[in-house]
Amino acid sequence: MIKAGIVGGTGYTGVELLRILASHPAVKLTAITSRGEAGQRVSDMFPSLRRRVDLNFVAPEDAALEQCDVVFFATPNGVAMKQAAALAAAGVKVIDLAADFRLDEAGWEKWYGMSHAAPELLAEAVYGLPEINRARIRKARVLANPGCYPTAVQLGFLPLIEADAVALDHLIADAKSGVSGAGRKAAAANLYAEATDSFKAYGVGGHRHLPEIRQGLSRVAGGRDIGLTFVPHLTPMVRGIHATLYARLTSELSEADLQVLFETRFAGETFIDVMPPGSHPETRSVRASNHCRIAVHRPQGGDTVVVLSVIDNLVKGAAGQAVQNMNIMFGEEESLGLTMTPVSP
Amino acid sequence: MIKAGIVGGTGYTGVELLRILASHPAVKLTAITSRGEAGQRVSDMFPSLRRRVDLNFVAPEDAALEQCDVVFFATPNGVAMKQAAALAAAGVKVIDLAADFRLDEAGWEKWYGMSHAAPELLAEAVYGLPEINRARIRKARVLANPGCYPTAVQLGFLPLIEADAVALDHLIADAKSGVSGAGRKAAAANLYAEATDSFKAYGVGGHRHLPEIRQGLSRVAGGRDIGLTFVPHLTPMVRGIHATLYARLTSELSEADLQVLFETRFAGETFIDVMPPGSHPETRSVRASNHCRIAVHRPQGGDTVVVLSVIDNLVKGAAGQAVQNMNIMFGEEESLGLTMTPVSP
Amino acid sequence: MIKAGIVGGTGYTGVELLRILASHPAVKLTAITSRGEAGQRVSDMFPSLRRRVDLNFVAPEDAALEQCDVVFFATPNGVAMKQAAALAAAGVKVIDLAADFRLDEAGWEKWYGMSHAAPELLAEAVYGLPEINRARIRKARVLANPGCYPTAVQLGFLPLIEADAVALDHLIADAKSGVSGAGRKAAAANLYAEATDSFKAYGVGGHRHLPEIRQGLSRVAGGRDIGLTFVPHLTPMVRGIHATLYARLTSELSEADLQVLFETRFAGETFIDVMPPGSHPETRSVRASNHCRIAVHRPQGGDTVVVLSVIDNLVKGAAGQAVQNMNIMFGEEESLGLTMTPVSP
Amino acid sequence: MIKAGIVGGTGYTGVELLRILASHPAVKLTAITSRGEAGQRVSDMFPSLRRRVDLNFVAPEDAALEQCDVVFFATPNGVAMKQAAALAAAGVKVIDLAADFRLDEAGWEKWYGMSHAAPELLAEAVYGLPEINRARIRKARVLANPGCYPTAVQLGFLPLIEADAVALDHLIADAKSGVSGAGRKAAAANLYAEATDSFKAYGVGGHRHLPEIRQGLSRVAGGRDIGLTFVPHLTPMVRGIHATLYARLTSELSEADLQVLFETRFAGETFIDVMPPGSHPETRSVRASNHCRIAVHRPQGGDTVVVLSVIDNLVKGAAGQAVQNMNIMFGEEESLGLTMTPVSP
């Protein structure tokens, strides 16, 4: 059994990790930390976990995390980078669900406004998008679990960029997220009566997932620059990201060719489901599961290709992908503990 | 492996049965019928089941249901009663998720407006509320799966009536259901723009679950009459029933006594979770799971006891309870295939 | 023109007052205070008011409220009682939308846990339910605007109690509120991802609106005690209260008699709409309007009468009723500025 | 008073027209037709209109529509074109909220699959986007009220195209609509349990509003071709359209220049609200009102301009704009009866 610890388990990615790990056949949950809630039963805070998770929150210093095989950080940005070195030195694998190890050092400092506490570990850390990076993930000691938007957007652009089929200078990612993406912090803007029955963009001027997407796609493009306009939106639903992607075709690919391109690229991928031609995937079709469903269109036979990519932001966009990465890192079957069927309706 | 067939799999109880049975370790799904959709892939209608359910709908006459070990009817009222006899004669267990076998013959004819097609089978059929009726379920050939409201309401009143602690003449059940309870039929009243952001009662004059609850509770009360006012309401959410139950205490039971009464009654029940004193269970705490969570209150020390009982109407109120009954009927562990953790948020 | 000031305009009752008063033909909005937001444009906080409300928030001490004709308090409990005396002395009418002047002094201290700052003013204050108290409202200097639940519940029980038609010892009010009733404070429990797609009771042990309802109905009953069980619930919608009321009939009144009783009682009331027999009013049918719609049932011919009463908690349950009271206090037509048609869908 | 009739008042645009016209100071509602509901009280179907609209539905042949001053068609596509000629001949102004008079004849036949019943009237009909077409609207006999998406999209692109500031060959309109846009027809896809808590694109291959937008923008661009990719999405909310528009700048315009461009263009427009720099308008900020709020961004100083444009699809996107057009056609003040403040929350 893999002994797993969770640092910071009181947010939505934390409780989703608990939901998944509680049923994972190869994992034994050994500790979950929260300074604020130390001593409280996890299932008192999350009644959905009654009879499933029989743990109390513990203070970080009492958690004996160095005795775990893997530690997940479901913490705010800037926490994992301070604790990862000690854990790594103790032979504990670190999976960070925050942003500490996603960007290079300059990018981190620019977009997150902090100097990095562990630049050498950052240099070593592996970006955990398995569909791109599986080989490196296998050997990672410190894993940067991708952001939710970056997961949906990169997977959707991936086949087009690998095939050098689109112009890289004017990619557009119009992305829509459920409100759980904003976390469980009490903030007026995320109150029910503020967020329901309404729709808005945010962060148009510059969102922190923009450099992450650009960096990831640039690697796919052999280091070429990525010109990307990224507009995230808040949608009145709990879970789900829908990325609508636009790119200009530079090669002669019919809609059927594009379909083949996508199906071929993702043929061996357990969690990537290329939908039939003409499809419009709904976010609820992946609710509470680790799938990404993708459809590709070439409307009106024009030279603009449109890709629709949906994930559950808390699963493939966070906790599920983290467990997928853990499976890879520990040599387990990649889908172990992740075979839950989406909940619909 | 238990070979299972489903008749009428295009509604919400049908797709939920598919979701549960697709992961059930002792079940092999062999057929799912739909006259209207014969030939269509199940996962084309329900994309959430892509890569999970690899079946086509078949016409009923092509389904070879008599070769199944068990057949679930997820059909409108009045269908199962016509087909159950032939299946039972062929040694197939029948589990009806509709109302055909829930009431006695007079009750059926009065409340459902049809004469019963199989009165002798009706007399034999077992009412499938395991927490009351487990022994008889074990031997049932034809099983009447309880209605969603009746499940939540009966479980909540059960300890009080068994203990003869409340007046039976003026029970009140104020119940609230998510919209999935209305099924997947296209009806203007259930459109998104009609049902969202609004709340209403319905069927105050008389709902078909009223006689089912009265009959069930009367049996618990040794045949005494049950005076029940039952008011169902439509709530803008997908899944979930919240029953708020009111009864007048006739014995001297403190709130602590009531807590003990409930905890004792349900001590051995896997799916019944008596919450700590002072709790207010949320429907989402059981979402997509087979649990019923219950809290008991005696407000202001008065003589009115208030019970709060929540279930997922599609799981413990329909498909999950049906599978629980199947497990009992086939000698499997009662929770087999039903251990999914609630999805929250 | 009535010069109106608002103290504490940053919550939902505040912004709703602004919406209504901005279109009121006899009102001139002169000041709106908020210590925290002083200097900010009201319409920057509430973009829905752009081009409608051209005011900045001002600090309370800069508001010159004593020059208003009327001041509305849309503040937390315990604020108005400290400022009302000075305003009243200056000849300014005070309308408190919080609870400071609703209960008698003992009730206030017990349920709100503070000693009252202005007991003599409390003794003089008028409870502003126009359908009961119109004559006294006309002359009020300090008006206690009723709570949202108490408005819906009292209006529903009113005809029955006035007619001495029901037993007073076991009234039950099962009430459901939209989330805006919890206000605009950032609290984790009211986050979108916590409150949506779920339903729960709260405050079963004792809610502050319980003594308010009891006190109001007791006055209607000539001072007799009211035995009331009151269970509030949180519903995933923004606006609306649905009160489902249960009482035991003590006189021989058919459903038709009850219908006549209600229609007669409310015949002259502009804002009380007794629905036709057999109706189930939806909360959305009063959304954004000052109406209360009521239906009365006697299910199955039993001796339990069921009343369904719906209001918009922010309008008839708060800001709209406050303006209705203002109209009465200033001799205007009671419906002036309150004729907006409900918004549906 | 303007005598107004409505043909087909049982859908959402119909009931919204009723809500607005019932309070319009210069309008007398004289008839509302529905063959299916003839004889029924309007307020029985729409309880929100009780005490506001005192009319019965009448059969079309009994409606004496030729005695109206104006007739609104809130009918399915293909109805108005058959009845408009007779009404126009009788001197009745016709305002069609469906698509019959929006496209030229070839466009109509291609996109709506019917030959046009009144091509000469179509040639004469005026496209009713007041912010572009006010002068012609003033004299129109037959008015084509724009579609909901086309209103939001055209208004957002308008200043950019008039100023010749962007490349016309690759415009992108990523638009999101509330579910009321799908109408009040019973269709499974629009059921609450299908449409809530989920997000999806639809009609990516070609939506009927695409040619309408292209035609409208092409006129603005002096007849030049418009290369537009238009992707509509269904959002789980009732009302509201959010259009996110992308275009490549061809002139050197800073974000501040763009702000001035938009503010100048819409300076005199009552219903167009250009938000401050950096804004993200929410759909709820225009809920139940006739406003369009617009923000313009130039993210990261790149050459892609992003415009955010929000309307209430039932008001500025349908019934409100129709009344705005009526006001212009009858020489009334343009905002008469349309001054309602948005309802938020």
Side-chain angles (χ1 to χ4, degrees):
Chain A
M1 297 293 273
I2 304 168
K3 283 174 293 185
I6 300 176
V7 179
T10 64
Y12 291 137
T13 52
V15 62
E16 189 69 356
L17 262 176
L18 287 166
R19 183 178 76 93
I20 295 171
L21 293 177
S23 304
H24 194 291
V27 167
K28 178 169 166 46
L29 261 173
T30 57
I32 173 160
T33 78
S34 161
R35 193 170 303 283
E37 307 296 334
Q40 198 190 349
R41 288 183 61 77
V42 169
S43 60
D44 284 352
M45 173 169 277
F46 300 117
S48 61
L49 298 176
R50 286 171 62 89
R51 307 196 171 188
R52 290 284 177 264
V53 173
D54 189 21
L55 284 175
N56 288 15
F57 291 108
V58 294
E61 56 274 19
D62 300 334
L65 295 171
E66 68 286 353
Q67 295 170 25
C68 292
D69 298 310
V70 62
V71 169
F72 295 90
F73 283 85
T75 41
N77 297 317
V79 174
M81 68 180 182
K82 293 179 190 150
Q83 304 182 24
L87 289 169
V92 182
K93 305 269 192 183
V94 170
I95 298 178
D96 179 29
L97 285 82
D100 298 21
F101 297 98
R102 289 180 192 159
L103 299 183
D104 61 23
E105 194 176 349
W108 168 262
E109 297 190 354
K110 172 175 177 194
W111 286 90
Y112 290 86
M114 304 177 233
S115 61
H116 204 282
E120 66 303 328
L121 219 52
L122 176 57
E124 174 198 332
V126 174
Y127 188 70
L129 197 53
E131 291 76 12
I132 297 182
N133 232 5
R134 190 169 281 117
R136 294 193 58 219
I137 293 168
R138 210 164 275 135
K139 304 178 201 149
R141 296 197 309 153
V142 176
L143 186 126
N145 209 54
C148 50
Y149 287 124
T151 297
V153 173
Q154 290 177 82
L155 289 172
F157 276 131
L158 188 60
L160 296 171
I161 294 181
E162 286 182 348
D164 202 14
V166 293
L168 298 183
D169 55 343
H170 282 92
L171 302 181
I172 288 173
D174 188 291
K176 301 88 175 171
S177 173
V179 184
S180 66
R184 202 165 154 270
K185 275 188 321 290
N190 300 324
L191 290 176
Y192 180 87
E194 299 291 304
T196 195
D197 205 36
S198 192
F199 189 92
K200 66 170 177 186
Y202 66 101
V204 175
H207 185 284
R208 288 166 166 182
H209 285 175
L210 172 65
E212 182 182 341
I213 300 168
R214 269 199 316 228
Q215 171 183 284
L217 293 180
S218 177
R219 287 177 191 160
V220 171
R224 281 180 291 165
D225 273 352
I226 300 293
L228 172 70
T229 301
F230 168 58
V231 178
H233 301 75
L234 200 65
T235 308
M237 61 185 183
V238 177
R239 292 161 174 255
I241 284 181
H242 186 292
T244 313
L245 310 175
Y246 303 87
R248 200 174 312 178
L249 283 169
T250 51
S251 22
E252 250 323 304
L253 291 170
S254 67
E255 201 166 76
D257 295 336
L258 290 164
Q259 181 74 21
V260 170
L261 176 66
F262 274 68
E263 288 182 0
T264 306
R265 174 54 179 87
F266 292 124
E269 293 294 345
T270 311
F271 294 116
I272 315 298
D273 176 21
V274 179
M275 306 275 291
S279 292
H280 301 92
E282 301 176 75
T283 58
R284 66 177 185 142
S285 78
V286 298
R287 188 191 290 139
S289 88
N290 200 48
H291 290 97
C292 172
R293 300 200 203 275
I294 296 182
V296 58
H297 293 256
R298 190 180 156 185
Q300 306 283 310
D303 66 353
T304 299
V305 57
V306 177
V307 180
L308 314 174
S309 167
V310 302
I311 60 169
D312 183 322
N313 57 306
L314 296 182
V315 191
K316 183 65 176 166
Q321 186 147 267
V323 173
Q324 184 181 356
N325 281 315
M326 180 201 73
N327 286 340
I328 298 171
M329 292 160 81
F330 285 85
E332 302 286 354
E333 192 171 359
E334 197 165 322
S335 63
L336 195 68
L338 292 169
T339 54
M340 50 277 200
T341 303
V343 174
S344 176
Chain B
M1 298 294 273
I2 303 167
K3 285 173 292 184
I6 299 176
V7 179
T10 63
Y12 290 138
T13 52
V15 63
E16 189 69 356
L17 263 178
L18 288 166
R19 183 177 76 92
I20 296 171
L21 293 177
S23 304
H24 194 292
V27 167
K28 180 171 165 45
L29 262 174
T30 56
I32 174 161
T33 77
S34 162
R35 192 169 304 285
E37 307 296 334
Q40 198 190 347
R41 287 183 62 76
V42 168
S43 61
D44 285 354
M45 172 169 278
F46 301 117
S48 60
L49 299 176
R50 286 171 62 90
R51 307 197 170 186
R52 290 285 176 262
V53 173
D54 189 23
L55 285 175
N56 288 14
F57 290 107
V58 294
E61 56 273 19
D62 300 334
L65 294 172
E66 69 286 354
Q67 295 169 24
C68 292
D69 298 310
V70 61
V71 168
F72 296 90
F73 282 86
T75 41
N77 297 317
V79 174
M81 68 179 181
K82 293 181 189 147
Q83 304 182 24
L87 289 168
V92 182
K93 304 268 190 184
V94 169
I95 297 178
D96 179 29
L97 285 83
D100 298 22
F101 296 98
R102 290 181 192 158
L103 300 183
D104 62 23
E105 194 176 351
W108 167 262
E109 296 192 351
K110 173 176 175 193
W111 286 91
Y112 291 85
M114 304 177 231
S115 60
H116 204 283
E120 68 302 326
L121 219 51
L122 175 58
E124 173 198 332
V126 175
Y127 188 69
L129 197 54
E131 291 77 10
I132 297 182
N133 233 4
R134 191 169 280 117
R136 295 194 57 216
I137 294 168
R138 210 163 275 134
K139 304 177 201 150
R141 297 197 307 156
V142 175
L143 186 126
N145 209 56
C148 49
Y149 287 123
T151 296
V153 172
Q154 290 178 82
L155 289 172
F157 275 132
L158 187 61
L160 296 171
I161 294 181
E162 286 182 349
D164 202 13
V166 294
L168 298 183
D169 54 344
H170 282 94
L171 302 179
I172 289 174
D174 188 291
K176 301 85 176 174
S177 174
V179 184
S180 66
R184 202 165 153 270
K185 276 187 320 291
N190 299 324
L191 289 176
Y192 179 87
E194 299 290 304
T196 196
D197 204 35
S198 192
F199 189 90
K200 67 171 177 187
Y202 65 101
V204 176
H207 184 283
R208 287 165 167 184
H209 285 175
L210 171 65
E212 182 182 342
I213 299 169
R214 269 200 317 228
Q215 170 182 287
L217 292 181
S218 177
R219 286 177 190 158
V220 170
R224 281 179 290 164
D225 273 354
I226 300 293
L228 173 70
T229 301
F230 169 58
V231 177
H233 302 76
L234 200 66
T235 308
M237 60 185 183
V238 177
R239 291 161 175 254
I241 284 181
H242 186 292
T244 312
L245 310 176
Y246 303 87
R248 199 174 314 178
L249 283 170
T250 51
S251 22
E252 252 322 305
L253 291 171
S254 67
E255 201 165 75
D257 295 336
L258 291 164
Q259 182 73 21
V260 170
L261 177 67
F262 274 69
E263 289 183 359
T264 306
R265 175 56 180 87
F266 292 124
E269 292 294 344
T270 311
F271 293 117
I272 315 297
D273 176 19
V274 178
M275 307 274 292
S279 293
H280 301 93
E282 302 177 76
T283 58
R284 64 177 188 144
S285 77
V286 298
R287 189 192 289 138
S289 87
N290 201 48
H291 290 97
C292 173
R293 300 201 204 275
I294 295 182
V296 60
H297 293 255
R298 190 180 155 187
Q300 308 282 310
D303 67 353
T304 299
V305 57
V306 177
V307 181
L308 314 174
S309 167
V310 303
I311 60 169
D312 183 322
N313 57 305
L314 296 181
V315 190
K316 183 63 178 167
Q321 185 147 269
V323 172
Q324 184 181 358
N325 281 314
M326 180 201 75
N327 285 340
I328 299 172
M329 292 159 81
F330 284 85
E332 302 285 355
E333 193 169 358
E334 197 165 322
S335 63
L336 196 68
L338 292 169
T339 55
M340 50 276 201
T341 304
V343 175
S344 176
Chain C
M1 296 292 274
I2 303 168
K3 284 174 293 184
I6 300 176
V7 179
T10 63
Y12 291 137
T13 51
V15 62
E16 189 68 357
L17 262 177
L18 288 166
R19 183 177 76 92
I20 295 171
L21 293 178
S23 304
H24 193 292
V27 167
K28 178 169 166 46
L29 262 174
T30 56
I32 174 162
T33 78
S34 162
R35 192 169 304 283
E37 308 296 335
Q40 197 189 349
R41 287 183 61 77
V42 168
S43 61
D44 284 353
M45 173 168 278
F46 299 117
S48 60
L49 298 177
R50 286 171 62 89
R51 307 196 171 188
R52 290 284 177 262
V53 173
D54 189 23
L55 284 175
N56 287 15
F57 291 108
V58 294
E61 55 274 18
D62 301 334
L65 294 172
E66 69 286 353
Q67 295 169 24
C68 292
D69 298 310
V70 61
V71 169
F72 296 90
F73 282 86
T75 42
N77 298 317
V79 174
M81 67 180 181
K82 294 180 190 148
Q83 305 182 24
L87 289 168
V92 182
K93 305 269 191 182
V94 169
I95 296 177
D96 179 30
L97 286 82
D100 298 21
F101 296 98
R102 289 180 193 159
L103 300 184
D104 61 24
E105 194 175 352
W108 168 261
E109 297 192 352
K110 172 176 176 192
W111 286 90
Y112 291 86
M114 304 178 232
S115 61
H116 204 282
E120 67 303 328
L121 219 52
L122 175 57
E124 173 196 334
V126 174
Y127 188 70
L129 198 53
E131 291 76 11
I132 296 182
N133 232 4
R134 191 169 280 117
R136 294 194 57 216
I137 294 168
R138 211 164 274 135
K139 304 177 201 149
R141 295 197 308 154
V142 176
L143 186 126
N145 209 55
C148 50
Y149 287 124
T151 297
V153 173
Q154 290 177 82
L155 289 172
F157 275 131
L158 188 61
L160 296 171
I161 294 181
E162 286 182 349
D164 202 13
V166 294
L168 298 183
D169 56 343
H170 283 92
L171 302 179
I172 289 174
D174 188 291
K176 301 87 176 172
S177 173
V179 185
S180 65
R184 203 165 152 270
K185 276 187 320 291
N190 299 325
L191 290 176
Y192 179 87
E194 299 291 304
T196 195
D197 205 35
S198 192
F199 188 91
K200 67 170 177 188
Y202 66 101
V204 175
H207 184 285
R208 288 165 166 183
H209 285 176
L210 171 66
E212 181 181 342
I213 300 168
R214 266 198 319 226
Q215 171 182 285
L217 293 181
S218 177
R219 287 177 191 159
V220 171
R224 281 179 290 164
D225 273 354
I226 300 293
L228 173 70
T229 301
F230 168 58
V231 177
H233 301 76
L234 200 65
T235 309
M237 60 184 185
V238 177
R239 293 161 175 254
I241 284 182
H242 185 293
T244 313
L245 310 175
Y246 303 87
R248 199 174 312 176
L249 282 170
T250 52
S251 22
E252 251 323 306
L253 291 170
S254 67
E255 201 165 75
D257 296 336
L258 290 164
Q259 182 72 23
V260 170
L261 177 66
F262 274 69
E263 289 184 358
T264 306
R265 174 56 179 87
F266 292 123
E269 293 294 344
T270 311
F271 293 116
I272 315 298
D273 175 21
V274 179
M275 307 274 293
S279 293
H280 301 93
E282 302 176 76
T283 59
R284 65 177 186 144
S285 77
V286 298
R287 188 192 288 137
S289 87
N290 201 47
H291 290 97
C292 173
R293 300 200 204 274
I294 296 182
V296 58
H297 293 256
R298 191 180 156 187
Q300 307 284 311
D303 66 353
T304 299
V305 57
V306 177
V307 180
L308 314 174
S309 167
V310 303
I311 60 169
D312 183 322
N313 56 305
L314 296 181
V315 191
K316 182 65 176 166
Q321 186 147 269
V323 173
Q324 184 182 356
N325 281 315
M326 181 201 74
N327 286 339
I328 298 171
M329 291 160 80
F330 285 85
E332 302 285 354
E333 192 170 359
E334 197 166 323
S335 64
L336 195 69
L338 291 169
T339 54
M340 51 275 200
T341 303
V343 175
S344 176
Chain D
M1 298 293 274
I2 304 167
K3 283 173 294 183
I6 300 176
V7 179
T10 63
Y12 290 139
T13 52
V15 63
E16 188 69 357
L17 263 177
L18 287 167
R19 183 178 76 93
I20 295 171
L21 293 177
S23 304
H24 194 292
V27 167
K28 180 172 165 45
L29 261 174
T30 56
I32 174 160
T33 78
S34 162
R35 192 170 304 285
E37 308 296 333
Q40 197 190 348
R41 286 184 62 77
V42 168
S43 61
D44 284 354
M45 173 169 278
F46 300 117
S48 60
L49 299 176
R50 286 171 61 90
R51 307 197 171 185
R52 290 284 176 263
V53 173
D54 188 23
L55 285 174
N56 287 15
F57 291 107
V58 294
E61 56 274 19
D62 300 333
L65 294 173
E66 69 286 354
Q67 295 169 23
C68 292
D69 298 309
V70 60
V71 169
F72 296 90
F73 283 85
T75 41
N77 297 318
V79 174
M81 67 180 182
K82 294 180 189 146
Q83 304 182 24
L87 288 169
V92 182
K93 305 268 190 182
V94 170
I95 297 178
D96 179 28
L97 285 84
D100 298 22
F101 297 98
R102 290 181 192 160
L103 300 183
D104 62 23
E105 194 175 353
W108 166 263
E109 296 191 352
K110 173 176 174 193
W111 285 90
Y112 291 85
M114 305 178 232
S115 60
H116 205 283
E120 68 302 329
L121 219 51
L122 175 58
E124 172 197 333
V126 174
Y127 188 70
L129 198 54
E131 291 76 12
I132 297 182
N133 233 5
R134 191 169 281 116
R136 294 194 57 219
I137 294 168
R138 210 163 275 133
K139 304 177 202 150
R141 297 197 307 156
V142 175
L143 186 125
N145 209 56
C148 49
Y149 287 124
T151 296
V153 173
Q154 290 178 82
L155 289 171
F157 276 132
L158 188 61
L160 296 171
I161 295 182
E162 286 182 350
D164 202 14
V166 293
L168 298 183
D169 55 343
H170 282 94
L171 302 180
I172 290 175
D174 188 291
K176 301 86 175 171
S177 173
V179 184
S180 66
R184 202 165 153 270
K185 275 188 319 291
N190 299 325
L191 289 176
Y192 178 87
E194 299 290 304
T196 196
D197 205 35
S198 193
F199 188 91
K200 67 171 178 187
Y202 65 100
V204 175
H207 184 283
R208 287 165 166 182
H209 285 176
L210 171 65
E212 183 182 340
I213 299 169
R214 269 200 317 229
Q215 170 182 286
L217 293 180
S218 177
R219 287 177 190 158
V220 171
R224 281 179 292 164
D225 273 354
I226 300 293
L228 173 70
T229 301
F230 169 58
V231 177
H233 301 77
L234 200 65
T235 308
M237 60 186 184
V238 177
R239 291 161 175 255
I241 283 181
H242 185 293
T244 312
L245 310 176
Y246 303 87
R248 200 174 312 179
L249 283 169
T250 51
S251 21
E252 251 323 304
L253 291 170
S254 67
E255 202 166 74
D257 295 336
L258 290 165
Q259 183 72 23
V260 170
L261 177 67
F262 274 69
E263 288 182 0
T264 306
R265 174 55 180 86
F266 292 123
E269 292 294 345
T270 310
F271 293 116
I272 314 297
D273 175 21
V274 178
M275 307 275 292
S279 293
H280 301 94
E282 302 176 76
T283 58
R284 64 176 186 144
S285 77
V286 298
R287 187 191 290 137
S289 87
N290 201 48
H291 290 97
C292 173
R293 301 202 203 273
I294 296 182
V296 59
H297 293 256
R298 190 180 156 187
Q300 307 283 310
D303 66 353
T304 299
V305 58
V306 177
V307 181
L308 314 174
S309 166
V310 302
I311 59 169
D312 183 323
N313 57 304
L314 296 182
V315 191
K316 183 64 177 168
Q321 185 147 268
V323 172
Q324 184 182 357
N325 281 314
M326 179 201 75
N327 286 340
I328 298 171
M329 292 160 81
F330 284 85
E332 301 286 354
E333 190 170 0
E334 197 165 322
S335 63
L336 195 69
L338 292 169
T339 55
M340 50 276 199
T341 303
V343 175
S344 177

